[in-house]
Amino acid sequence: PVFSQVPNNLSGIYNLGLEQADLPFLIYQDERYSYGETVSMARKMASQLVHEFGIKKGDRVAVCSRNNPQWCIAYMAITMIGAIVVPMNSWWQSNELLYGLQDSGSKLIFADPERIERLQPILDQLQIQIIAIAPANATPFPDFQSLLESASHADSFDPEKQNVQPDDDASIMYTSGSTGHPKGVLSTHRAIINALYSWLFAKEITEELRPELKSPFGAPQPGVLANVPLFHVTGNHAQFLLSFLYKRKFVMMYKWNAEHALQLIEKESLSVLHGVPTMTWEVMNSPLFDKTDLSSLRSVQSGGAARPPEHLTLMQQRFPEQAQPGLGYGLTETNAIGATITGKFYYAKPESTGRPTPPLTSIRIEDEQGKVLESGEIGEICIKGATIMKGYWKRPEDTAAAIRDGWFHTGDLGLLDAHGFLIIKDRAKDIVIRGGENIACA
């Protein structure tokens, strides 16, 4: 039944939170907002974007900040009105921000104080409005909280009247390939929603087959530790947006720290620990690990790199049995969908990143001439499905080179074994990966 009425756009995803509006949702340091409060604030900001800043459907609006509730509310507000959200890498410096803002043609940016400081040297080269997130001091720019408090049109704002269609453009997320300038990955509401429901589908299947993994009746509200940047598809899609479907808490960290992560897992009874493999390793080796109540954990997921087999063995020894290990493979261009592996399958095939994510994703391996290879043969990993990007922003030639006959060519090398499990072997192009972040060697 949960799949019988899939929302047509991201506003419909946000409305799922209103089914249990009083449940806690966004949690960050001393800030705590319920689902109802979050959706209300997003609608107020959406109203301000329309009436005070003149943002229209199809306009690009950037968000550049460290993780915080305002980041999430800004993302929701932008997509509610049919504008295109541009989540920008908060590690970017001035010249990189200039490139991203000019390339996307963003009309407005939500930015925190550190990012505003980096914008100052390039403002004379931009025609852009700024909304300041949590400014510490007086600022010449409108600040986020004041805009929420003065949203006089909010009562009349109705997301349903914005006429946002499934195939309307929703986001531009920048990703680095083997060249120096990142490419903007343009995705639709449909592609992002298909990613969210693919993960839900996989969870439903797992719990049908392994009912003992379900949280017991009366267990605390599920929750995820938000320990990776929201400008990544992992942080944005698999952690933030997916929380609307699971009605779970989204608990944000100011900066990664294994001891603080353990404290939050116990304090908030979190069910999901997710991040790059190094994070799991640091948690297991923390002096607080054996002193922390981890009974709420149901999933210890990872992505961005493979786990060494000895790392997985240690996880099996140290984490509670119900905290199932998992590994996922996906790209910005696929809205984080590709292949996934969990539990006993993962223990049996620690070198694999799993089978294609059900139910809508296919994977095949091609050689340099485009020939489809047999099981066990190494070639380029190609992915097809409903979550593939619309294309690279303003780069039709790059789009045509990457998507051929509906198959996205990842640039990663791997093979499918006899049972259809994907094993990644190498990178076809020159990039460095640091903390899950692709960096062009150039």
Side-chain angles (χ1 to χ4, degrees):
V2 74
F3 300 99
S4 63
Q5 292 183 322
V6 176
N8 285 327
N9 54 41
L10 288 170
S11 284
I13 295 293
Y14 311 145
N15 288 340
L16 296 175
L18 297 178
E19 295 171 0
Q20 291 179 280
D22 292 335
L23 280 180
F25 179 32
L26 300 182
I27 297 172
Y28 177 66
Q29 299 180 349
D30 295 330
E31 298 180 70
R32 299 182 76 90
Y33 303 107
S34 68
Y35 274 93
E37 289 170 328
T38 301
V39 174
S40 174
M41 288 188 290
R43 288 180 178 178
K44 287 179 180 180
M45 186 56 69
S47 173
Q48 292 287 51
L49 290 177
V50 172
H51 293 99
E52 300 300 325
F53 295 90
I55 301 300
K56 303 183 298 296
K57 186 176 180 179
D59 287 345
R60 277 76 66 202
V61 178
V63 186
C64 195
S65 164
R66 67 166 60 246
N67 289 7
N68 51 48
Q70 293 75 26
W71 197 108
C72 301
I73 293 163
Y75 183 100
M76 293 168 65
I78 296 162
T79 50
M80 274 182 181
I81 62 177
I84 303 171
V85 63
V86 185
M88 301 195 77
N89 190 324
S90 60
W91 299 329
W92 278 359
Q93 299 302 307
S94 298
N95 63 326
E96 295 164 309
L97 290 170
L98 177 64
Y99 165 76
L101 292 170
Q102 289 183 332
D103 184 70
S104 64
S106 292
K107 291 187 173 182
L108 183 148
I109 182 170
F110 291 86
D112 62 5
E114 187 175 349
R115 262 44 62 173
I116 289 177
E117 186 177 337
R118 294 180 198 171
L119 287 168
Q120 292 289 354
I122 59 172
L123 282 180
D124 60 346
Q125 301 177 63
L126 294 166
Q127 294 291 322
I128 196 165
Q129 303 176 87
I130 296 175
I131 294 177
I133 294 176
N137 303 303
T139 172
F141 309 110
D143 80 86
F144 195 100
Q145 188 59 37
S146 296
L147 287 170
L148 289 180
E149 293 170 359
S150 62
S152 58
H153 302 280
D155 291 341
S156 62
F157 177 80
D158 183 0
E160 299 300 319
K161 294 180 180 178
Q162 305 308 305
N163 193 33
V164 180
Q165 299 300 311
D167 292 313
D168 285 345
D169 299 335
S171 75
I172 299 171
M173 302 186 89
Y174 280 88
T175 182
S176 288
S178 58
T179 56
H181 283 305
K183 296 190 286 290
V185 174
L186 179 65
S187 287
T188 63
H189 287 256
R190 185 191 299 276
I192 296 171
I193 290 170
N194 270 294
L196 305 181
Y197 275 87
S198 292
W199 285 312
L200 179 61
F201 186 85
K203 179 177 182 289
E204 296 276 321
I205 289 175
T206 300
E207 291 183 351
E208 283 292 324
L209 297 174
R210 300 284 307 281
E212 72 275 14
L213 299 179
K214 287 185 179 181
S215 296
F217 180 77
Q221 177 192 4
V224 60
L225 185 66
N227 53 351
V228 298
L230 278 160
F231 61 77
H232 272 175
V233 282
T234 299
N236 189 72
H237 294 11
Q239 292 189 354
F240 167 49
L241 293 178
L242 189 58
S243 294
F244 285 96
L245 274 65
Y246 293 167
K247 311 295 190 299
R248 67 187 181 190
K249 291 184 286 188
F250 186 65
V251 182
M252 289 169 269
M253 302 182 72
Y254 177 78
K255 185 178 181 180
W256 169 252
N257 175 275
E259 286 67 47
H260 188 214
L262 284 164
Q263 291 168 352
L264 287 173
I265 290 170
E266 179 174 295
K267 177 184 176 182
E268 300 289 347
S269 299
L270 298 182
S271 51
V272 180
L273 173 62
H274 196 175
V276 294
T278 308
M279 291 174 170
T280 313
W281 182 260
E282 290 180 2
V283 162
M284 288 191 294
N285 286 280
S286 167
L288 291 185
F289 186 86
D290 292 323
K291 305 173 186 176
T292 303
D293 181 2
L294 301 175
S295 59
S296 62
L297 278 180
R298 289 296 180 272
S299 178
V300 185
Q301 295 286 333
S302 184
R307 282 192 179 109
E310 61 272 18
H311 181 166
L312 186 59
T313 300
L314 186 61
M315 288 179 63
Q316 189 172 18
Q317 296 168 352
R318 305 216 66 194
F319 278 98
E321 183 180 359
Q322 79 276 4
Q324 293 289 287
L327 182 68
Y329 166 69
L331 302 94
T332 308
E333 290 92 339
T334 65
N335 283 290
I337 294 296
T340 184
I341 191 167
T342 59
K344 293 180 179 179
F345 282 119
Y346 192 16
Y347 289 133
K349 292 179 176 285
E351 76 288 355
S352 173
T353 191
R355 287 179 169 137
T357 307
L360 302 173
T361 305
S362 301
I363 293 178
R364 73 185 189 191
I365 309 298
E366 293 186 8
D367 65 13
E368 292 182 356
Q369 287 72 46
K371 175 188 173 184
V372 180
L373 300 178
E374 301 293 331
S375 297
E377 294 185 295
I378 297 175
E380 184 174 13
I381 301 167
C382 301
I383 302 175
K384 188 175 187 178
T387 70
I388 301 298
M389 67 173 179
K390 185 174 181 178
Y392 291 117
W393 177 253
K394 298 196 303 186
R395 293 182 180 228
E397 293 180 0
D398 288 332
T399 301
I403 303 175
R404 303 196 289 275
D405 295 325
W407 289 88
F408 172 68
H409 291 66
T410 67
D412 292 324
L413 299 178
L415 61 87
L416 291 169
D417 71 11
H419 300 104
F421 285 80
L422 178 65
I423 299 171
I424 300 172
K425 290 293 187 180
D426 203 350
R427 181 68 197 167
K429 299 175 182 177
D430 292 329
I431 62 166
V432 172
I433 299 178
R434 177 204 181 267
E437 175 80 2
N438 288 357
I439 303 168
C441 290

